[in-house]
């Protein structure tokens, strides 16, 4: 390590995990990655977290898919295969046979039942070009918009609120802008675990005297650096934020000049907040009224303030209302469009921003152009050389699986997603996957979802592919292959192109740069960003105003992309979660990620260092709760909700409030999403992963 003679080449690319988008220098010897260092990227400036630095040897794991697979005749569709030999229900096939079988099955359903019998899930783990091709394939090949991806489970409600009130779904400022702020709110996010490199900037901000306001029902490391730590009751975000905003209005702390120049609907917002009883909001959220007022003063009186949020805000049935409140809070203080100000939903996956920009969403084409807009349909029909495109918004992730249960959708093409682990109410989701007449899964491992597949297509991991990705900061970055793919695995863009051709589409891409060039024809966000520039510069932030502009870290200083250039206030009223604790289910379950494991664990549980650090499923409970229940740390504990039951190992964690239990969702042996509530936010259609009524009890020792 550190001996440059030990490796024979270095490749500069991007970390495959979170939306921070750290640039990495991959040290390679022969066909193996030896180690990884941070590189000088715009988001990370050489920094890396444990996942980026040590979580790479999944690339060389013996369970990587290296050949196409076809399900054996009569093999059951189930997850519980022999862990030592997960491939037992499949036989190897040639690419020719597998692609023919995959496409023939999808085409047969389309031809027998119409295009709507087939739907697709793409992936925020793929490149922009691959996401673009996947949504094009469903829209062009099947004639509808039933194509979605994991943004639905992550920030769909944030995007709904931002699109509605700001006119753009992306961040208004990079997280690095906190360098110029003097006050910042981090709410419903745990950056030290989930965006660790971003968290280092937040800690530096606090260290140099910035006022850091952290708000989360669960305690966290960042609280040590905070001026205020608001550990509010779960699910009461709207009440707490209304209390803070009411204090700003009632004490006359708002920025009247900014509001008059750049916003609309202020009168309704002000009336709503003047009528808001701060004591009542305090009683609902559990934060003293005086603390709400102190936070209001600190944020409103700051010269430059930023708001960061994560899935603690978005994954609720009132996720859109939560985000509306945050947008309103920033607007009324004039904290948008200047250095050190802005709205920043911290994006999850490494390319969830880019996959969304590329149109992997059922309501919109690339660049968020509505499918209901005739001009947008005409634009993409011309680019794709088709007669018509469907004007009807498609179904979302959970709606698609509901439609499978109803028999309306009979076949699916799933690229890099793992709904058998990531969806709420997994029993329902897995039954849907088992019910499909034809399922094609394209991935790097035989994921829990792939175990239900009829055809499995082996894809390349990020360190084996060429293509662009876009991070939480709107920075489009070039991903370069460091090592060759194992066996016969192929890049996703190539596989999707082969499927498209077998579905009768006239596709002839020979390199991702051709796909990128096509994307630019329909995506103004990519103006002045070319493949050659990205090869040369590695990263360009959009919007880029000229061929040599590195891009704009802050947007909307001179107005918003809405009618008359004005952002909008959207008042929101507190409403309770979809289900509340009762005598049978007296506690609150919340789920999330942990530092060492990424999402459903498909990658990180195959990364030896990360899996050694966190090898088994845990349920974190307050020590007082454990004592009350007679459970010792390390004992098995059973969690039961209205949807199912799992057993995990109890972990004592004083940061978890006494009425709550926290579970990561990366472990198939205790899949947290068996427990979660599929109730949806009406605007973002995002499930309420962050709140389920649960019973916790000792479980028998294994
Ligand atoms: Fe990778 Fe995110 Fe860690 Fe950076 S912060 S190294 S992008 S996981």
């Amino acid at each position: 390590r550190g001996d440059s003679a030990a490796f024979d080449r270095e490749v500069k690319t991007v970390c495959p995990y979170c939306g921070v988008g750290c640039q990495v220098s991959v040290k390679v010897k022969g066909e193996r990655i030896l180690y990884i260092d941070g590189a000088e990227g715009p988001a990370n400036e050489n920094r890396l977290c444990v996942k980026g630095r040590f979580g790479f040897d999944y690339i060389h794991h013996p369970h990587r898919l290296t050949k196409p697979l076809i399900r054996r005749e009569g093999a059951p569709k189930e997850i519980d295969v022999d862990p030592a030999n997960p491939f037992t229900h499949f036989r190897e096939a040639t690419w020719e046979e597998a692609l023919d079988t995959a496409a023939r099955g999808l085409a047969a359903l389309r031809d027998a039942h119409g295009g709507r019998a087939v739907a697709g899930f793409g992936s925020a783990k793929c490149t922009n070009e691959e996401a673009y091709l996947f949504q094009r394939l469903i829209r062009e090949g099947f004639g509808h918009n039933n194509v979605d991806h994991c943004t639905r489970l992550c920030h769909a409600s944030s995007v709904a609120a931002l699109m509605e009130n700001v006119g753009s779904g992306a961040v208004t400022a990079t997280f690095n802008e906190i360098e110029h702020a003097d006050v910042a709110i981090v709410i419903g996010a745990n950056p030290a675990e989930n965006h660790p490199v971003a968290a280092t900037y937040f800690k530096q901000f606090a260290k140099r005297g910035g006022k850091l306001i952290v708000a989360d029902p669960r305690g966290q490391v960042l609280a040590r650096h905070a001026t205020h730590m608001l550990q509010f009751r779960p699910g009461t975000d709207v009440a707490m934020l209304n209390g803070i905003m009411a204090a700003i209005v009632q004490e006359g702390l708002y920025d009247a000049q900014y509001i008059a120049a750049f916003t609309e609907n202020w009168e309704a917002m002000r009336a709503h907040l003047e009528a808001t009883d701060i004591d009542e909001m305090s009683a609902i959220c559990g934060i003293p009224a005086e603390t709400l007022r102190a936070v209001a003063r600190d944020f409103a009186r700051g010269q430059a303030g930023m708001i960061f949020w994560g899935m603690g805000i978005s994954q609720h049935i009132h996720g859109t209302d939560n985000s509306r409140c945050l947008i309103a809070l920033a607007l009324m203080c004039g904290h948008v469009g200047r250095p050190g100000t802005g709205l920043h939903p911290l994006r999850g996956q490494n390319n969830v921003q880019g996959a969304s920009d590329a149109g992997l969403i059922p309501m919109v084409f690339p660049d968020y152009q509505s499918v209901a807009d005739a001009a947008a349909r005409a634009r993409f029909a011309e680019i794709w050389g088709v007669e018509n495109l469907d004007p009807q918004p498609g179904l979302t992730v959970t709606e698609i699986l509901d439609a499978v249960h109803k028999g309306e959708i009979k076949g699916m093409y799933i690229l890099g997603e793992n709904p058998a682990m990531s969806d709420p109410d997994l029993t329902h989701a897995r039954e849907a996957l088992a019910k499909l007449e034809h399922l094609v899964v394209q991935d790097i491992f035989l994921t829990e979802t792939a175990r239900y597949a009829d055809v499995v297509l082996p894809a390349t991991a990020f360190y084996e592919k060429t293509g662009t990705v876009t991070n939480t900061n709107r920075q489009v970055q070039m991903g370069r292959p460091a090592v060759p793919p194992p066996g016969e695995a192929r890049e996703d863009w190539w596989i999707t192109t082969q499927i498209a051709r077998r579905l009768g589409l006239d596709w002839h891409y020979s390199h991702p740069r051709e796909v990128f060039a096509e994307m630019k024809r329909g995506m103004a966000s990519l103006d002045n960003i070319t493949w050659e520039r990205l090869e040369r510069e590695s990263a360009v932030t959009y919007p880029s105003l000229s061929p040599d502009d590195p891009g704009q870290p802050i947007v909307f200083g001179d107005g918003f992309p809405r009618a008359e250039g004005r952002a909008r206030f959207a008042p929101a009223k507190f409403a309770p979660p979809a289900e509340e604790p009762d005598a049978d289910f007296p506690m609150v379950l919340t789920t999330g990620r942990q530092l060492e494991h990424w999402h459903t664990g498909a990658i990180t549980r195959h990364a030896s260092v990360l899996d050694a650090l966190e090898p088994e499923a845990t349920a974190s409970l307050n020590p007082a709760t454990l004592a009350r229940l007679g459970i010792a740390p390390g004992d098995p504990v059973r969690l039961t909700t209205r949807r199912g039951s799992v057993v995990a190992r109890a972990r004592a964690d004083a940061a978890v409030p006494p009425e709550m239990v926290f579970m990561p969702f990366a472990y198939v042996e205790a899949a947290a999403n068996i427990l979660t509530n599929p109730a949806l936010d009406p605007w973002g259609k995002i499930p309420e992963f962050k709140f389920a009524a649960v019973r916790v009890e000792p479980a028998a020792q294994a």
Side-chain angles (χ1 to χ4, degrees), residues 131-164:
Y132 172 87
L133 286 185
F134 192 81
Q135 59 87 37
R136 178 178 169 183
L137 178 127
I138 297 295
R139 292 186 156 120
E140 183 183 350
F142 297 95
H144 58 71
N145 297 302
N146 293 342
V147 59
D148 205 357
H149 78 295
C150 66
T151 193
R152 188 67 42 210
L153 309 177
C154 149
H155 265 306
S157 50
S158 310
V159 171
L162 286 163
M163 291 297 291
E164 173 192 79

Side-chain angles (χ1 to χ4, degrees), residues 185 328 382 425 477:
I185 294 175
E382 196 262 318
D425 190 4
Q477 306 199 84

Side-chain angles (χ1 to χ4, degrees), residues 14-24 44 47-53 191 193-199 348 350 463 595 598:
V14 185
C15 172
Y17 291 112
C18 90
V20 170
C22 297
Q23 287 194 9
V24 294
N44 66 313
R47 307 171 201 198
L48 289 182
C49 79
V50 65
K51 286 191 289 291
R53 192 174 292 281
E193 298 251 338
N194 298 324
H195 302 85
V197 165
N350 66 329
Y463 287 137
L595 174 63
W598 186 249

Side-chain angles (χ1 to χ4, degrees), residues 119 252 298 415 465-466 492 675:
D298 279 345
L415 188 169
K465 64 169 66 175
T466 302
D492 290 284
L675 307 172

Side-chain angles (χ1 to χ4, degrees), residues 605 615-619 647-650 663-664 667 669-670:
R605 294 203 77 194
E616 60 180 354
T618 54
V647 174
R649 206 164 282 287
M663 268 197 88
Y667 300 88
E669 63 273 29

Side-chain angles (χ1 to χ4, degrees), residues 350-373:
N350 66 329
N351 198 34
V352 70
Q353 182 65 57
S356 302
D357 296 345
L360 208 48
I361 297 181
M363 304 86 182
V364 293
F365 294 120
D367 256 3
Y368 308 93
Q369 300 171 69
S370 171
V371 297
D373 176 3

